[in-house]
Amino acid sequence: MDNELDFSDRTVLVTGSGRNIGRAIILEFAARGANVVINARSNAAEAEEVATRARELGAEALVVLGDASELAVVEEMHRRSVERFGRVDIYVSNAARRLHKDFFATTHEDWHYHLNQQLTSAWYLAKTFVPDMRAAGWGRILHINGNDGIRGDFERIPHSVAKGGLRTLTRSLAAGLGQYGITVNEIYPGFQATRRDPKTHPEVTDDYTARRLSRFPLRRQPTPAELAWAAAFLCAPRSGAITAGSVSLDGGELWIQAR
């Protein structure tokens, strides 16, 4: 029954897809027959490597560089995607930057920048791509959220608030778009096995990782490939009754306190 996850003749756009989770999602859909639109803020080499890999999997691939928190960039992604593929059937709002400062060190500029990165960007994507989905009578929207949006984080307040807002945006869009055949869901990655910038994740040392994993029910980090498979499942035609939903890929960390 795995052919139920065949995305031939569909086009998938993923923001922040030059590495880590976004890259894995692009390659999952590419392997399943989709055309893919790769977006990275500025690293052209990373984005082109993903495009090359997607083409090796048999996909048509387009790269659009730029910051997804800027409306002009989102509109350019739309223009070029439509020009190349006709329309975007599925988009994944994944691009994010994480600030590591406590409340007292966080500036007003930090606040606005990080809310724009993770919440306003999702709004821009919806306003730009949903009209085409409504006209087609079909669409899939995924937001990559985070546990910080549920539990909060004093060292990442703008990030946590943005993720909390993204949860509300997911449900608000789902409430009105289902009638047009469009589903809206979110995935919570948790402490994934990804490359991290030490400037934004200075706390992630080997000791920190070992201590944190000792509390995981799985005793290991989830992987981007596992999350990408869940993304494909949520976007499949037979998943059309799943909307306003949250899928946790955090290894059970948030809701289960392992001893």
Side-chain angles (χ1 to χ4, degrees), residues 6 35 43 47 51 61 64 66 77 85 99 105 138 159 162 182 208 213 217 226:
D6 181 359
N35 305 315
N43 195 323
V64 184
M77 285 193 278
F85 300 121
L99 180 74
W138 197 92
H159 166 75
I182 304 167
Y208 170 91
L213 292 182
E226 290 172 316

Side-chain angles (χ1 to χ4, degrees), residues 5-7 25-34 36 53-54 57-59:
L5 298 182
D6 181 359
F7 292 92
I25 295 172
I26 284 286
L27 296 183
E28 182 76 31
F29 280 102
R32 296 183 179 279
V36 293
R53 180 68 183 123
L57 293 168

Side-chain angles (χ1 to χ4, degrees), residues 197-210:
D197 184 342
K199 293 179 182 177
T200 58
H201 292 83
E203 79 283 13
V204 183
T205 63
D206 290 345
D207 286 345
Y208 170 91
T209 298

Side-chain angles (χ1 to χ4, degrees), residues 140-154:
R140 298 287 186 265
I141 297 169
L142 284 182
H143 295 149
I144 305 303
N145 208 315
N147 289 347
D148 292 349
I150 296 173
R151 65 190 176 200
D153 189 330
F154 192 68

Side-chain angles (χ1 to χ4, degrees), residues 17 56 58 73 86 144 155 161 163 196 254:
S17 46
E56 290 171 351
V73 171
I144 305 303
E155 279 72 39
V161 171
K163 291 302 191 184
R196 288 180 170 82
L254 182 64

Side-chain angles (χ1 to χ4, degrees), residues 28-29 142 187 224-236 239 247 249:
E28 182 76 31
F29 280 102
L142 284 182
I187 298 178
E226 290 172 316
L227 186 147
W229 192 94
F233 168 77
L234 287 171
C235 293
S239 297
V247 173
L249 264 291

Side-chain angles (χ1 to χ4, degrees), residues 14-19 21-24 26 37-40 46-47 50 94:
V14 183
T15 63
S17 46
R19 64 176 68 173
I21 290 170
R23 179 184 189 276
I26 284 286
V37 182
I38 299 144
N39 161 252
E46 281 190 341
V50 179
N94 170 68

